[in-house]
Amino acid sequence: MTINNCILYTFPKIHDRRGNLTFVEGAKHIPFNIKRIYYLYDVPGGSKRGGHAHKNLNQILIALSGSFDVMLYDGKEKKTVHLNSPQQGLIIVPMVWREIINFSSGAVCLVLASEYYSEDDYFRTLKSFRSSLR
Ligand code: T46
């Protein structure tokens, strides 16, 4: 898995005079069934989230409100994706280091995850992540 597998999905949007409605159906609009949902909010200006990689977890990050940048690193290449639309979701595949920075005021990052929370699934240091890639 590399950063090239971390792509942006555009979800359906139903627009009418009352506003917009977007929906995501597990295994239909995204390539996994959703086992867990969590969200980052009230992130103080200048704070950074992430700073780790996962062994098996697939996740979709959605900027439900506001914006932020997702920096991705697979041990060889890096890229940064700016998320600012509730209609778009960035999949982050296993074995990709991620850091989330530049949260705008009031930003909410919704995460759809393929697995339940498990600390054993994390590489919490770049050193352990890089070692596992060798
Ligand atoms: C990721 C980014 C986008 C739980 O108990 N359950 C959970 O589902 C999660 C996600 C975390 N936690 C605990 C583990 C830590 O004691 O909450 C604490 C903070 O977690 P962490 O430092 O991992 O939070 P972030 O925002 O740096 O990272 C999280 C996810 O862990 C990670 O998978 O990609 O959001």
Side-chain angles (χ1 to χ4, degrees):
M1 290 290 183
T2 73
I3 57 170
N4 294 324
N5 300 108
C6 298
I7 54 171
L8 267 181
Y9 291 97
T10 300
F11 303 123
K13 181 170 84 173
I14 312 290
H15 171 78
D16 66 28
R17 60 186 169 74
R18 300 166 298 170
N20 295 325
L21 183 155
T22 284
F23 57 96
V24 181
E25 296 184 352
K28 188 170 172 186
H29 299 121
I30 59 173
F32 57 82
N33 273 316
I34 299 160
K35 279 198 182 158
R36 177 166 54 110
I37 294 171
Y38 63 92
Y39 27 98
L40 310 175
Y41 57 101
D42 290 346
V43 178
S47 283
K48 183 180 92 172
R49 307 291 310 216
H52 48 248
H54 285 279
K55 298 172 188 170
N56 295 305
L57 186 69
N58 283 281
Q59 302 198 104
I60 305 267
L61 273 61
I62 301 169
L64 218 48
S65 180
S67 65
F68 46 84
D69 291 325
V70 185
M71 298 193 308
L72 302 169
Y73 171 59
D74 59 15
K76 284 186 180 160
E77 290 185 275
K78 292 182 179 180
K79 75 174 173 185
T80 299
V81 181
H82 182 65
L83 291 182
N84 64 358
S85 164
Q87 203 194 343
Q88 287 197 308
L90 173 70
I91 185 164
I92 308 182
V93 296
M95 302 306 291
V96 172
W97 189 267
R98 82 288 314 269
E99 295 182 7
I100 301 109
I101 58 169
N102 296 333
F103 284 88
S104 70
S105 171
V108 178
C109 173
L110 177 73
V111 184
L112 313 177
S114 66
E115 307 297 335
Y116 301 121
Y117 171 74
S118 166
E119 190 58 36
D120 290 344
D121 192 63
Y122 284 75
F123 293 108
R124 290 276 185 190
T125 66
L126 258 179
K127 193 178 171 194
S128 62
F129 173 58
R130 286 201 181 109
S131 305
S132 74
L133 293 170
R134 282 192 206 116

